[in-house]
Amino acid sequence: MKLLLLTTLLAVLQSQVLGDDYCFGKDTERPQTRHFTSKTAYQIIKGTNFDSFYDVPGCTAKKIWILHRHGTRLPSKSTIEKAPRLEELRDSIVKNYRVFKTKPATNALCQEDLIALQMWKWNTSITPDQENYLTSQGYEDLRGTSKLYQKYYPEILTKPYNKSVYLFRHTDTQRTTESFKAFTEGLFGANNGAQEEQVQGDDLLLRPYDYCESWKAHDYSSSTSETGKFRNSTIWNNTLDEVSKRLGFQYTLEASDVDLMYDMCRYEQAWQVDRTSVWCAAFTPEQVTIFEYEDDLKYYYKLGYGFEGNTRLNCRAVKDMLNHLNTDSLPNVVAYFGHSSGVQTLITALGINKDDIKLTAANYNELSYRRWKTSNIDPFASNFVAVKFDCQAAPKEKVIFFLNQYAVDLNWCKVGLCDWDEVMKRYKTFYEADCADYYCDSAVGVGVSLISVLFAAIVYLINF
């Protein structure tokens, strides 16, 4: 009995003095999986208290407008082509631990993680021609969201499919096409005959960023940008050094190798939510928050509040939503299937999740509880849903905005429930805008306007 007590006390003492190395394989919580930015699994981040918000006493849901990002996908072509490099890194890490004995004294990989890493192989059936394809999990992501919203709003999301009640549209990609099919299968079952609206010409509604030269020319990731400055900061370089040491390297790995390991961790975790990605073991939860902030900086300036023009980029989507909800005519349901850029610029246009302090490379420590977290805003299968209600008591028209099954908290609404008149007042600029002129500060457009003014001036002087 004394020996058992002594052994227990020594174990506790050792744990307190030396500290336990972080072991991803043994971690049942895995908090870092909630911080994988735009590659976060929807099942991990979605709201779980939808019951608290969907029902509005004395009101009847009449209309729904949805912008839905595609579900979990495969990597881009460049990442797929680089994937074999991970097998080289795997072998080097195992050799560091097994042969060179360069395991760090603290914060080392546990045996479970090391063995899992040693057994990892890249799935060679994933080829570059399948870049960005929707995965089976991605298909389930969309089937799941449609079933959930239909469960709570069956009076709007009626079945079977009726083309006068529903309007669907998606971008011209495999992942959004398949997402549309999955969503409608969740609503109506297989072989449902659901049709999507065909896009004629440029897709300015769901891909406005493709046609805005000033947006495409905007600097959000170069060495002089806030993202670039952060990647040259002490905190970033120290993180790369710590990850390298954790993996047994006696030098700091190239940032491209660390990025590749981090991406594979995020993809694999999203592909199979109930399993663990061995590459996530390379990073402690604290380190993941550093990578999250770097990604958030990129999106903040690319699609968010860091660049003022982003607030107008999704003019057409906002106007489309307002027009749809502001009329009693059919269709009752509008659902669009797009991409990260569409969801994030919509959130930016509506003034949602805006911080009082601007995100910069220098204020990581000040913004650990920031509102602009793309992990929460834009995981795989992210969705923004607006539900319009007719109510018995005045004001009779109200709306709730949902983001990933959370009621959006706007300070001018009552616990997520907004008066429709106030919505129209707040977004009057979009409702009345000519989006062709308003949405983009195009250098080409400015040039044409300037030429027009000069020409008019010349004509005036000649006639004068």
Side-chain angles (χ1 to χ4, degrees), residues 61-66 149 153 156-157 324-325 331-335 385-388:
K62 293 294 186 181
K63 286 208 161 191
I64 283 184
W65 186 93
I66 302 170
Y149 290 124
Y153 297 114
I156 312 177
L157 295 167
H324 171 66
L325 298 179
N332 290 334
V333 181
V334 169
V385 178
V387 183
K388 178 82 174 295

Side-chain angles (χ1 to χ4, degrees), residues 97-275:
Y97 272 68
R98 305 285 194 211
V99 180
F100 299 140
K101 307 298 183 183
T102 52
K103 170 184 174 180
T106 58
N107 208 25
L109 293 174
C110 65
Q111 279 298 308
E112 289 84 354
D113 288 343
L114 184 63
I115 291 170
L117 184 63
Q118 188 172 4
M119 296 173 65
W120 182 87
K121 290 183 179 180
W122 168 243
N123 183 354
T124 55
S125 68
I126 299 174
T127 53
D129 60 302
Q130 299 173 358
E131 65 168 330
N132 297 322
Y133 273 25
L134 196 74
T135 65
S136 58
Q137 179 59 59
Y139 200 90
E140 290 306 312
D141 292 340
L142 274 289
R143 270 174 31 102
T145 55
S146 64
K147 283 179 175 290
L148 176 123
Y149 290 124
Q150 189 176 60
K151 173 185 175 182
Y152 289 105
Y153 297 114
E155 68 275 25
I156 312 177
L157 295 167
T158 56
K159 53 184 178 182
Y161 168 70
N162 183 329
K163 66 179 181 180
S164 65
V165 174
Y166 289 89
L167 187 153
F168 298 114
R169 180 170 168 176
H170 57 78
T171 63
D172 186 21
T173 66
Q174 186 272 354
R175 58 193 180 277
T176 53
T177 302
E178 291 302 305
S179 292
F180 152 72
K181 292 178 181 177
F183 191 87
T184 54
E185 183 178 319
L187 289 178
F188 314 119
N191 304 315
N192 51 66
Q195 300 173 10
E196 68 271 44
E197 181 182 68
Q198 298 300 312
V199 179
Q200 304 297 326
D202 297 339
D203 191 356
L204 287 162
L205 176 64
L206 297 184
R207 300 187 71 103
Y209 39 85
D210 283 350
Y211 311 98
C212 181
E213 295 304 318
S214 63
W215 180 83
K216 289 192 283 187
H218 183 57
D219 176 15
Y220 59 83
S221 60
S222 73
S223 59
T224 58
S225 68
E226 291 301 318
T227 305
K229 291 174 185 175
F230 189 69
R231 288 180 73 93
N232 283 304
S233 68
T234 299
I235 190 170
W236 179 261
N237 288 322
N238 285 346
T239 302
L240 295 184
D241 186 53
E242 290 167 3
V243 171
S244 302
K245 287 179 179 177
R246 176 173 172 79
L247 301 177
F249 291 98
Q250 299 298 290
Y251 56 88
T252 302
L253 288 164
E254 292 291 330
S256 58
D257 282 338
V258 178
D259 288 338
L260 184 60
M261 290 187 287
Y262 179 57
D263 274 346
M264 192 51 57
C265 153
R266 298 191 292 170
Y267 276 119
E268 289 188 334
Q269 197 61 63
W271 293 341
Q272 295 181 304
V273 181
D274 56 343
R275 297 178 62 182

Side-chain angles (χ1 to χ4, degrees), residues 345-402:
T345 52
L346 177 66
I347 296 306
T348 303
L350 297 175
I352 296 169
N353 284 38
K354 185 176 183 180
D355 291 284
D356 297 329
I357 302 173
K358 195 168 187 176
L359 273 66
T360 69
N363 61 7
Y364 165 74
N365 291 321
E366 299 176 55
L367 290 164
S368 57
Y369 296 102
R370 62 191 175 278
R371 296 186 184 96
W372 185 264
K373 280 199 172 188
T374 47
S375 302
N376 299 332
I377 296 169
D378 186 38
F380 282 128
S382 60
N383 54 89
F384 180 87
V385 178
V387 183
K388 178 82 174 295
F389 296 88
D390 282 350
C391 304
Q392 296 172 1
K396 293 185 177 296
E397 295 183 308
K398 297 182 184 293
V399 68
I400 298 180
F401 300 122
F402 293 101

